[in-house]
């Protein structure tokens, strides 16, 4: 099949890779197949449903490299699940009784799209695969080539998702300033809540990078109580059970010794216990259109702050959330290199007639390849037995 029109869309939450990935795809097509028409759907699948698209002009092609230094997405995002018709009807994105897959597929056909590049997480990729299958059943050939975006770094079987390294680096920068709040009050408890619904990778990596930065900081002897007060005193991830009572005793001793306690908490840590507690009170915890718990309602950071404040004898506690700060950043050098490799292969795959999600396949020896859609899943767990994480916990005195 000759490729004449290529469409791009970004979807789900934003990450420090979306603008750069769009820029990289535009650059590669301009180099490899300048005759190909490029369009971008506004606001992800919501824009596709409504037929809102923008033509990538010659001027935009020439200046696409500027996107590598920007955060966010030049196309806009949305959280849309095309198989959840009831939700889309409620939101006014499709007419009552309409099949969202058919609406989206008809739009792709009307726009003459031969290749669809999606930049998003597992839901984005599997939705694109649903579209491709639907169109195939209708006799239309659509190649779908996805790029893996999520700061949680939890897409199975992909080793490293785009934007995650940058998010950890930015979360460490955020922490550097908010941890300074330990000097604002005696016996201060600081909870740094980090994104990561199912995986603790981002929380662990953020803590690791923060401590690396801290190791380079010079302190004045006898003033400010030094490095220990600026350190992390516990890291909680969904993959490791938390003994609240034992941790309360350990952290109370830390508070008595240095006058402050700082926790790094993944937003998915301890969620099952929190939900069970809420439901025992007769409260229902809502879910989003994808079936995920509404974590704003669960509020893990506040739970840990209130739970530990009493146990450690804190005079004041404060919860800080770095997620929106971290995910909005422009990509760092590590991510730019990975984005470049992935966008290069994405274009080669599309022009060569392939489909799949571009990533380092851990089940194929880490090979960068187009991974089959039926092998893509979300909710990949972080390995808490990783040597570097075990060493981190030992360094901060956490069992």
């Amino acid at each position: 099949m000759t490729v004449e029109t290529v469409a791009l869309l970004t979807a789900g939450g934003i990450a420090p890779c979306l603008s750069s990935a769009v820029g990289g795809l535009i650059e590669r097509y301009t180099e490899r197949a300048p005759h190909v028409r490029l369009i971008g759907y506004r606001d992800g699948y919501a824009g596709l449903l409504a037929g809102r698209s923008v033509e990538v002009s010659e001027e935009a092609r020439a200046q696409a490299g500027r996107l590598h230094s920007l955060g966010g997405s030049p196309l806009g995002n949305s959280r849309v699940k095309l198989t959840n018709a009831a939700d889309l009807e409620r939101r006014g994105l499709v007419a009552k009784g309409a099949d969202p897959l058919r609406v989206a597929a008809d739009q792709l056909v009307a726009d003459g799209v031969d290749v669809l590049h999606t930049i998003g997480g597992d839901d984005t990729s599997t939705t694109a695969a649903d579209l491709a299958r639907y169109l195939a059943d209708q006799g239309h050939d659509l190649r779908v080539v996805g790029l893996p975006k999520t700061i949680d770094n939890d897409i199975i079987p992909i080793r490293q998702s785009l934007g995650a390294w940058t998010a950890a680096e930015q979360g460490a920068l955020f922490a550097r300033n908010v941890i300074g709040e330990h000097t604002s009050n005696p016996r201060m408890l600081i909870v740094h809540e980090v994104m990561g619904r199912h995986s603790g990778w981002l929380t662990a990596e953020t803590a690791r990078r923060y401590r690396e930065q801290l190791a380079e900081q010079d302190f004045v002897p006898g003033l400010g109580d030094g490095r220990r007060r600026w350190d992390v005193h516990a890291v909680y991830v969904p993959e490791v059970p938390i003994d609240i009572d034992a941790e309360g005793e350990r952290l109370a001793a830390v508070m008595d010794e240095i006058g402050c306690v700082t926790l790094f908490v993944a937003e998915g840590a301890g969620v099952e216990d929190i939900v069970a507690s809420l439901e025992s009170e007769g409260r229902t915890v809502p879910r989003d259109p994808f079936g995920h718990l509404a974590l704003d309602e669960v509020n893990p950071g506040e739970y840990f702050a209130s739970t530990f404040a009493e146990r450690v004898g804190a005079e004041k506690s404060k919860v800080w959330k770095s997620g929106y700060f971290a995910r909005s950043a422009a990509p760092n050098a590590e991510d730019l290199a990975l984005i470049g490799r992935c966008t290069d292969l994405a274009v080669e795959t599309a022009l060569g007639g392939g489909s799949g999600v571009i990533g380092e396949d851990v089940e194929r020896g880490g090979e960068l390849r187009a991974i089959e859609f039926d092998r893509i899943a979300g909710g990949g767990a972080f390995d808490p037995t990783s040597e570097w994480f075990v060493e981190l916990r030992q360094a901060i005195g956490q069992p």
Side-chain angles (χ1 to χ4, degrees), residues 5 7 117 166 174 231 303 355:
T5 300
H117 284 290
T166 303
F174 180 94
D231 208 344
Y303 170 81
S355 289

Side-chain angles (χ1 to χ4, degrees), residues 11-353:
I14 64 173
C17 65
L18 297 178
S19 289
S20 179
V22 170
L25 290 171
I26 294 172
E27 288 177 319
R28 295 296 88 74
Y29 274 107
T30 301
E31 293 170 0
R32 290 278 289 106
H35 64 281
V36 169
R37 174 183 175 234
L38 299 176
I39 65 172
Y41 286 110
R42 297 285 194 185
D43 305 319
Y45 287 116
L48 173 57
L49 289 170
R52 294 196 308 271
S53 63
V54 58
E55 195 92 13
V56 181
S57 66
E58 291 301 318
E59 182 180 17
R61 287 174 184 257
Q63 300 180 23
R66 295 181 179 182
L67 291 171
H68 296 305
S69 61
L70 291 175
S73 167
L75 299 175
N77 281 30
S78 63
R79 292 187 181 275
V80 167
K81 190 173 182 65
L82 293 183
T83 54
N84 191 339
D87 175 66
L88 300 182
E89 282 185 23
R90 179 184 60 80
R91 295 162 62 184
L93 295 175
V94 297
K96 186 175 182 179
D99 179 353
L101 276 173
R102 180 173 181 176
V103 174
D106 287 348
Q107 188 62 55
L108 289 167
V109 172
D111 291 334
V113 175
D114 304 306
V115 174
L116 175 63
H117 284 290
T118 60
I119 309 165
D122 60 292
D123 287 321
T124 300
S125 297
T126 53
T127 294
D130 289 338
L131 271 174
R133 282 191 294 269
Y134 182 90
L135 281 166
D137 291 341
Q138 305 301 311
H140 297 284
D141 186 14
L142 174 71
R143 302 174 196 173
V144 179
V145 182
L147 291 169
K149 172 275 316 174
T150 172
I151 63 174
D152 295 355
N153 197 31
D154 66 347
I155 302 176
I156 300 170
I158 293 173
R159 173 178 292 167
Q160 189 69 32
S161 59
L162 308 184
W165 280 322
T166 303
E169 180 179 90
Q170 291 293 315
L173 173 63
F174 180 94
R176 183 179 180 87
N177 286 354
V178 300
I179 289 176
E181 284 289 314
H182 75 262
T183 65
S184 69
N185 201 84
R187 300 188 71 84
M188 183 75 179
L189 171 64
I190 294 173
V191 178
H192 176 198
E193 183 180 321
V194 183
M195 284 185 171
R197 180 184 296 273
H198 302 292
S199 171
W201 180 89
L202 181 60
T203 303
E205 181 68 9
T206 300
R208 185 183 72 82
R209 293 192 180 220
Y210 171 75
R211 297 192 78 248
E212 283 182 348
Q213 295 173 12
L214 183 64
E216 298 175 357
Q217 177 66 50
D218 293 326
F219 291 89
V220 176
L223 293 178
D225 296 324
R227 197 174 309 279
R228 186 96 189 279
R229 286 176 60 88
W230 284 86
D231 208 344
V232 182
H233 306 115
V235 180
Y236 300 130
V237 296
E239 295 82 358
V240 180
I242 304 166
D243 186 332
I244 295 293
D245 291 333
E247 279 293 273
E249 291 183 12
R250 181 179 74 84
L251 294 173
V254 173
M255 179 69 84
D256 289 342
E257 179 185 352
I258 64 174
C260 64
V261 167
T262 295
L263 315 178
F264 275 41
V265 177
E267 64 180 355
V271 163
E272 291 184 6
D273 292 336
I274 301 171
V275 171
S277 175
L278 293 174
E279 290 178 342
S280 70
E281 299 170 2
R283 296 172 59 184
T284 300
V285 180
R287 295 177 180 269
D288 67 18
F290 294 92
H292 303 146
L293 286 168
L295 290 177
D296 286 345
E297 297 292 331
V298 177
N299 210 339
E302 291 294 344
Y303 170 81
F304 281 101
S306 60
T307 298
F308 281 114
E310 181 177 353
R311 285 172 167 79
V312 304
E315 289 189 13
K316 183 179 179 181
S317 63
K318 180 66 179 179
V319 179
W320 300 94
K321 300 183 180 185
S322 61
Y324 294 109
F325 177 90
R327 75 180 195 172
S328 302
N332 65 10
E334 292 169 284
D335 269 315
L336 283 172
L338 180 60
I339 292 165
R341 294 197 300 274
C342 289
T343 51
D344 285 352
L345 183 56
V347 172
E348 294 301 320
T349 299
L351 294 177

